[in-house]
């Protein structure tokens, strides 16, 4: 592989006009596709194989025309102090609003609070439900504006009016903090590479890669039902890895220049060595992201594949566009050890300068490996303690900031009708196989009323055929509570008795039941996902490092860092530690998708650092250095760049903490924390300590396995052979001339 990539790097350097034109054309093509495509909305959410999804599909079949998947809104009214919603003036304002909303082109139905039991017992609060014929993703902006305008008109009468539901769901915004993250990355690149031009190359290529990836996602969003969150997460991951991959190639290029090689040769060598590490690091990220498909949640699968595609583009850009741009830069990108005149350089470093920080740190670790190992493991273990209290759920309007109308509507409904009113359960009674459907509907309602934590059970509402009915159940507790989850399980358990007695199937659905089912599905999929992803990456790393213990150490170190990061997420978003600093207005359960998504992404990124750092250590060992000295050598050349790469990733991920979307905010914090733990504790401390303790045993591989494995030559040994062959040719020519 090193030889192939070496030739690719030289080709890209020589044919830089062609390579640059190719990538510019691809960016323009993707941009044109995105410009002509419909805007992305919120992806439709389905959970194949769950009871909630089966009930939802049954409703769609047995109640045609009811728009079971249509957007909904709850317009909540509160009377001024001392008044009631039943007062003539307030009642007239509400009925005028209902009439105004009913005229919407996409509106299916608007409930009248005074005819459908939509007024609280004390009369202070009322609500009107609005049902649309299309999903929130497909809802026209004019319908949203009409909804807001109707609420504003009602406010003019003196009422407090707020709007809940998914009809107002907006495309998430990442905020200005993302720009700050890129700015931090730029500063780190300048310090690391000692040149404004060299620092600009990774930023430029990363932006090109993310532009192609995000534009492609936008172009296909409507066709493939990709939500707006998909492009944000793809840009988050693509930007981070794009900068890092380019940084490693540029850094190796400067090191090759410092060895006295020509610029074209240095570009080839950089792609042949650092590029090999980029390929395998990118493969681990792609495996981890594509592996999310095993969960069998379409939205999560699409997010993973879209992000994986952006990572693949970042790898290809690092291997081709970077050497092409280095060709354009010429002498303005200086050898390692030199700074540009603008930064106070212009001359080589003093060769007698003391060892760099990476060398000094590695020397310290190999002298005291056991102490460093114990300190790192205990520290991460302590950080992971809160993960033992992890509670999973999916966000609802109750997790929105208090400044939003959705959250205020949620609070008003809780005040007027109880906390469970915000998460009603929909029980579907399928009596198609029952001899007496009406008796089945009645028995289902009676048994549900007898359960604990039930506030109200509405009468069964059958369809036209009379073979299926829906029963609305209001829990006593809020949607994300354990009590509500227990109630869902109790109804399903009672359904077995109802089926035995009547032959009717009882299914529970609704947003709350859907959230409970997706949490369970994600919990069940976590272990198989870990086995698949870690297993495949373990095999890949055996091929890369030609060792059993080094990949095993890499996997165990990852588990430590991801558990510690989950502990930090629980402490901030569930317990409320530092919540003000992180902009967390409402604590609660951790998003169900968070652990498995974080496991996938963090595993890929953790293996990035493992590959970049340990391949340089193995390279030194393969070239004859003793194990302890190889660790020091590897850190001398890699620690600075790996540290810079980690800081860049932390900065980029931290920028997404400012997003308006709670999922993006939480994932940004989780990934930034995980990179912090993995790069600076696991890879920079635990890895060299373990390698120092293992010595030569770290590189042990059974002979039969050594013969069976393909030689991918990540260390560039074949390039060293080219050097030896070239030196021999020179010697032969000298002998001939003599």
């Amino acid at each position: 592989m090193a030889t192939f990539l070496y030739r690719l790097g030289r080709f890209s350097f020589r044919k830089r006009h062609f390579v640059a034109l190719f990538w510019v054309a691809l960016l323009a093509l993707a941009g044109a596709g995105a410009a002509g495509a419909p805007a992305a909305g919120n992806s439709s959410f389905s959970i194949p194989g769950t009871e909630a999804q089966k009930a939802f599909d049954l409703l769609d079949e047995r109640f045609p025309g009811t728009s079971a998947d249509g957007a909904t809104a709850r317009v909540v009214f509160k009377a001024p102090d001392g008044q009631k919603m039943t007062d003539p003036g307030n009642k007239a304002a509400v009925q005028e609003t209902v009439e105004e909303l009913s005229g919407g082109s996409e509106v299916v139905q608007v409930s009248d609070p005074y005819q459908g039991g939509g007024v609280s017992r004390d009369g202070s609060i009322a609500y009107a439900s609005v049902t649309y014929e299309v999903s929130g993703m497909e809802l026209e902006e004019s319908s949203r504006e009409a909804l807001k305008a109707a609420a504003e008109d009602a406010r003019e009468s003196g009422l407090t009016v707020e709007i809940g539901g998914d009809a107002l769901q907006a495309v998430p915004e990442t905020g200005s903090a993302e720009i700050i993250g890129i700015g931090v990355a730029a500063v780190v690149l300048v310090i690391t590479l000692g040149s404004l031009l060299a620092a600009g190359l990774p930023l430029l290529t990363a932006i090109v890669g993310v532009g192609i990836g995000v534009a492609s996602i936008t172009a296909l969003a409507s066709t493939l039902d990709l939500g707006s969150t998909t492009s944000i997460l793809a840009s988050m991951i693509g930007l981070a890895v794009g900068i890092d991959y380019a940084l490693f190639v540029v850094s190796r290029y400067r090191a090759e220049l410092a060895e006295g090689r020509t610029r074209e040769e240095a570009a080839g060598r950089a792609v042949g060595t650092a590029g090999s590490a980029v390929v395998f690091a990118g493969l681990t990220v792609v495996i981890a992201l594509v592996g999310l498909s095993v969960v069998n949640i379409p939205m999560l699968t699409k997010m993973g594949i879209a992000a994986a595609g952006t990572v693949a583009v970042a790898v290809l850009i690092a291997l081709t566009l970077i050497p092409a741009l280095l060709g354009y830069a010429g002498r303005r990108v200086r050898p390692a050890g030199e700074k540009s005149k603008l930064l106070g350089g212009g001359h080589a470093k003093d060769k007698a300068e003391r060892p760099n920080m990476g060398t000094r740190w590695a020397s310290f670790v190999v002298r005291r490996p056991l102490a460093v190992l114990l300190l790192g493991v205990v520290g991460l273990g302590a950080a992971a303690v809160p993960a033992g209290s992890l509670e999973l759920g999916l966000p609802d309007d109750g997790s929105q900031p208090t400044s939003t109308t959705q959250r205020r509507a949620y609070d008003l409904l809780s005040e007027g009708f109880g906390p469970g009113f915000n998460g009603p359960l929909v029980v579907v009674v399928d009596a198609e196989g029952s001899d007496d459907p009406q008796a089945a509907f009645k028995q289902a309602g009676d048994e549900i009323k007898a359960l604990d934590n039930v506030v109200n059970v509405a009468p069964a509402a059958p369809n036209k055929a009379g073979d299926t009915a829906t029963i609305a159940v209001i829990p006593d507790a809020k949607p994300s509570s354990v009590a509500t989850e227990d109630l869902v399980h109790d109804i399903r358990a009672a359904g077995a008795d109802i089926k035995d007695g009547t032959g009717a199937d009882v299914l529970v659905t609704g947003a709350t039941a859907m959230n409970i089912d997706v949490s369970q599905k994600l919990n069940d999929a976590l272990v198989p996902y870990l086995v698949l992803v870690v297993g495949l990456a373990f095999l890949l790393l055996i091929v890369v490092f030609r060792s059993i213990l080094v990949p095993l150490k890499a996997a165990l170190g990852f588990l430590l860092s991801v558990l510690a990061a989950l502990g930090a997420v629980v402490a901030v978003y569930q317990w409320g530690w530092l919540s003000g600093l992180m902009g967390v207005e409402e604590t609660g359960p951790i998003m169900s998708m968070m652990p498995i998504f974080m496991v996938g992404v963090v595993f890929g990124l953790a293996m990035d650092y493992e590959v970049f750092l340990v391949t340089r250590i193995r390279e030194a060992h393969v070239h004859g250095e003793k194990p302890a000295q190889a660790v020091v050598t590897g850190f001398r050349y890699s620690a600075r760049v790996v540290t810079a790469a980690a800081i860049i990733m932390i900065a980029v991920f931290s920028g997404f903490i400012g997003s308006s979307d709670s999922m993006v905010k939480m994932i940004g914090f989780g990934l930034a924390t995980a990179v912090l733990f993995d790069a600076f504790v696991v890879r920079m401390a635990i890895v060299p300590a373990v390698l120092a303790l293992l010595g030569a045993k770290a590189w042990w591989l059974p002979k039969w396995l050594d013969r069976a494995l393909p030689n991918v030559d990540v260390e560039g040994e074949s390039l060293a052979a080219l050097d030896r062959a070239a030196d021999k040719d020179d010697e032969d020519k000298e002998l001939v001339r003599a």
Side-chain angles (χ1 to χ4, degrees):
M1 174 176 284
T3 304
F4 168 76
L5 293 177
Y6 164 76
R7 291 171 180 162
L8 179 63
R10 294 193 64 170
F11 170 83
S12 300
F13 188 93
R14 287 196 309 271
K15 305 292 184 180
R16 47 187 172 271
H17 301 311
F18 169 78
V19 173
L21 183 62
F22 170 80
W23 285 108
V24 169
L26 194 59
L27 179 61
L29 184 64
N42 295 289
S43 176
S44 59
F45 192 78
S46 63
I47 326 167
T50 62
E51 180 175 313
Q53 187 64 44
K54 290 176 184 175
F56 185 85
D57 295 339
L58 186 65
L59 285 174
D60 216 26
E61 175 189 340
R62 304 284 176 85
F63 292 81
T66 57
S67 301
D69 60 345
T72 59
R74 274 180 171 175
V75 183
V76 187
F77 308 88
K78 183 175 182 179
D81 290 343
Q83 298 183 26
K84 294 190 176 184
M85 292 305 304
T86 51
D87 293 344
N90 294 334
K91 186 175 181 179
V94 171
Q95 290 178 328
E96 184 178 335
T97 303
V98 169
E99 185 178 348
E100 182 179 348
L101 289 170
S102 300
S105 60
E106 295 179 303
V107 173
V108 175
Q109 182 182 8
V110 182
S111 68
D112 187 328
Y114 303 100
Q115 296 179 5
V119 181
S120 63
R121 288 184 179 179
D122 64 2
S124 64
I125 296 172
Y127 75 92
S129 293
V130 186
T131 306
Y132 294 88
E133 62 186 14
V134 295
S135 66
M137 181 181 68
E138 301 166 317
L139 199 63
E140 294 287 343
E141 189 60 34
S142 58
S143 295
R144 292 192 177 94
E145 292 302 322
L147 180 61
K148 294 176 184 176
E152 191 58 43
D153 291 343
R155 290 189 185 106
E156 292 180 1
S157 66
L159 297 174
T160 298
V161 186
E162 305 295 347
I163 306 171
D166 61 354
L168 287 187
Q169 284 184 345
V171 175
E173 299 176 357
T174 54
S176 59
E178 182 184 353
I179 306 301
I180 296 174
I182 296 175
V184 172
V187 172
V188 173
L189 286 169
V190 171
I191 295 172
T192 304
L193 298 176
S195 164
L196 291 174
L197 180 63
L201 293 182
L203 281 175
L204 174 62
T205 55
I207 291 172
V208 169
V210 169
I212 292 172
V214 172
S216 300
I217 291 169
T218 304
L220 298 171
S222 179
T223 304
L224 301 181
D225 189 23
L226 302 176
S228 54
T229 304
T230 302
S231 60
I232 292 179
L233 295 176
S235 66
M236 178 195 303
I237 296 167
L239 189 62
V241 300
I243 293 174
D244 278 8
Y245 294 165
L247 169 62
F248 281 104
V249 174
V250 172
S251 178
R252 188 61 184 252
Y253 171 78
R254 297 179 68 234
E256 295 294 337
L257 287 179
E259 295 292 328
R261 305 190 192 281
T262 65
R263 294 188 176 273
E264 182 180 329
E265 179 70 11
R269 297 293 176 124
V271 175
T273 51
S276 296
V278 166
V279 169
F280 283 99
L283 271 176
T284 59
V285 180
V286 168
I287 287 172
L289 291 171
V290 174
L292 290 169
S293 58
V294 304
V295 183
N296 195 28
I297 294 179
M299 186 180 78
L300 195 59
T301 299
K302 292 171 187 176
M303 286 166 55
I305 292 175
T310 308
V311 172
V313 170
V315 170
L316 293 174
I317 283 180
L319 300 179
T320 57
L321 186 56
I322 281 291
L325 294 180
L326 289 171
Y328 284 118
R331 296 182 179 276
R332 284 168 291 184
V333 175
R334 299 171 179 271
E338 292 187 19
K339 294 182 179 179
S340 66
K341 292 180 180 180
L342 185 61
L343 296 176
H347 56 276
K349 286 185 177 180
D350 183 0
K351 298 298 181 183
E353 187 177 346
R354 66 175 186 163
N356 62 22
M357 180 66 76
T359 303
R360 297 198 300 274
W361 170 250
S363 299
F364 169 79
V365 173
V366 297
R367 288 197 306 271
R368 297 174 178 82
L370 189 59
V372 172
L373 176 62
L374 289 175
L375 186 61
V377 171
V378 170
L380 290 178
V385 168
S389 302
L390 178 67
E391 295 178 8
L392 297 178
L394 285 178
D396 54 23
D397 286 347
S399 61
Q400 296 266 19
T402 53
S403 58
T404 63
T405 186
Q406 293 96 324
R407 172 59 187 279
R408 291 195 291 263
Y410 179 98
D411 291 341
L412 285 176
L413 288 173
S414 296
E415 177 188 339
F417 301 91
F421 194 79
N422 283 291
L425 304 176
V426 179
V427 178
V428 182
V429 184
D430 179 9
E432 191 175 43
S434 175
D435 296 332
D436 188 351
Q438 290 298 325
F441 301 155
K442 185 177 185 308
Q443 182 177 340
D446 291 342
E447 294 207 17
I448 293 170
K449 284 179 184 177
L451 297 174
D452 294 334
N453 299 317
V454 174
V455 171
N456 184 53
V457 177
N463 62 349
K464 289 182 179 179
D467 60 0
T468 309
T470 60
I471 301 174
V473 180
I474 306 300
D476 184 40
K478 64 181 182 178
S480 58
S481 68
V482 175
T484 301
E485 182 177 349
D486 291 340
L487 176 59
V488 170
H489 295 314
D490 290 343
I491 295 174
R492 287 172 175 170
D497 297 333
I498 296 169
K499 183 174 177 61
D500 292 339
T502 65
D505 289 319
V506 176
L507 306 172
V508 186
T509 188
T512 301
M514 195 80 82
N515 291 351
I516 291 169
D517 284 354
V518 75
S519 297
Q520 186 61 50
K521 193 175 182 70
L522 288 164
N523 284 340
D524 294 343
L526 186 56
V527 172
Y529 174 70
L530 272 173
V531 171
L532 173 68
V533 172
V534 176
L536 287 175
F538 180 76
L539 294 175
L540 183 65
L541 292 179
I542 288 177
V543 174
V544 173
F545 296 131
R546 307 194 78 79
S547 163
I548 297 292
L549 296 178
V550 171
L552 181 61
K553 164 198 60 64
L556 294 176
F558 151 74
L559 291 175
L560 271 175
S561 58
V562 79
L563 284 174
L566 276 175
V569 169
V570 170
V572 173
Y573 290 90
Q574 187 176 310
W575 291 0
W577 294 4
L578 302 177
S579 57
L581 182 63
M582 296 298 168
V584 181
E585 295 190 26
E586 184 71 20
T587 60
I590 303 304
M591 200 162 313
S592 300
M593 292 185 185
M594 180 69 185
I596 200 163
F597 190 83
M598 197 166 80
V599 163
V601 176
V602 173
F603 183 77
L605 300 180
M607 295 307 103
D608 277 1
Y609 299 121
E610 183 75 13
V611 170
F612 290 134
L613 188 61
V614 180
T615 48
R616 200 68 194 243
I617 295 173
R618 176 168 169 76
E619 183 178 339
H621 180 66
V622 166
H623 293 164
E625 292 189 10
K626 293 182 179 180
Q629 184 56 40
V631 172
V632 176
T633 300
F635 268 69
R636 180 167 71 247
Y637 290 113
S638 299
R640 179 183 177 91
V641 180
V642 170
T643 300
I647 293 173
I648 288 169
M649 275 204 179
I650 292 169
V652 171
F653 289 148
S654 296
F656 288 86
I657 297 175
S659 171
S660 62
D661 185 275
S662 57
M663 181 176 181
V664 175
K665 180 192 292 284
M666 193 179 294
I667 288 178
F669 173 80
L671 293 182
T673 306
V675 170
L676 175 68
F677 289 149
D678 194 86
F680 292 105
V681 181
V682 175
R683 308 304 153 189
M684 287 293 177
I686 293 177
V687 166
V690 171
L691 291 178
L693 288 170
L694 291 175
K697 295 177 184 176
W699 310 108
W700 171 80
L701 188 69
K703 292 183 179 179
W704 63 269
L705 185 57
D706 189 36
R707 290 191 297 269
L709 291 177
N711 184 13
V712 295
D713 189 23
V714 177
E715 299 82 15
E717 184 62 23
S718 59
L719 301 183
L722 289 177
D723 283 341
R724 291 191 292 270
D727 292 342
K728 189 175 185 306
D729 287 344
D730 291 340
E731 291 175 4
D732 291 344
K733 290 176 182 177
E734 289 294 333
L735 288 173
V736 170
R737 283 196 291 268

